[in-house]
Amino acid sequence: MNRLNHCELLTQGRPLFLGVDGEGGAHYWDSYEFAVAVVSADGDAEKIELSETPFETLSQWCEYTRSERGWDVGPHVGGSLVGDLVRGVEA
């Protein structure tokens, strides 16, 4: 696996930061490629196209990550961090 930063890995100039999983991997979403880039704590990066997984949506990817690794930060899906906080308070 090549050491790439998330900007080199994804087409979109500013991919959406999703969060950090329980193993320290930072997840970024590129809606143009419909792909997630995962940058591990040691700097290795991997691009996962959702079409090559059993998951059809970004939400399903986030649930899978929650079940396999957990989330230390996030995931921030469907809005801003402020929106996530408001939804959390209203729940």
Side-chain angles (χ1 to χ4, degrees):
M1 182 180 328
N2 292 335
R3 287 178 158 254
L4 301 171
N5 69 40
H6 65 274
C7 291
E8 294 171 327
L9 197 61
L10 299 173
T11 304
Q12 190 171 300
R14 297 190 70 177
L16 173 68
F17 172 69
L18 297 175
V20 178
D21 65 36
E23 296 178 4
H27 293 239
Y28 298 86
W29 172 245
D30 183 333
S31 59
Y32 181 78
E33 290 194 24
F34 212 66
V36 175
V38 181
V39 182
S40 68
D42 64 6
D44 287 337
E46 177 181 14
K47 180 172 75 173
I48 300 108
E49 294 184 24
L50 289 192
S51 63
E52 297 175 2
T53 72
F55 313 110
E56 296 179 10
T57 66
L58 178 57
S59 181
Q60 289 175 340
W61 172 264
C62 290
E63 279 305 309
Y64 163 75
T65 301
R66 180 185 316 279
S67 68
E68 292 294 313
R69 300 180 180 188
W71 287 102
D72 282 347
V73 177
H76 307 296
V77 178
S80 67
L81 178 57
V82 173
D84 292 343
L85 290 172
V86 168
R87 282 188 293 280
V89 170
E90 292 175 346

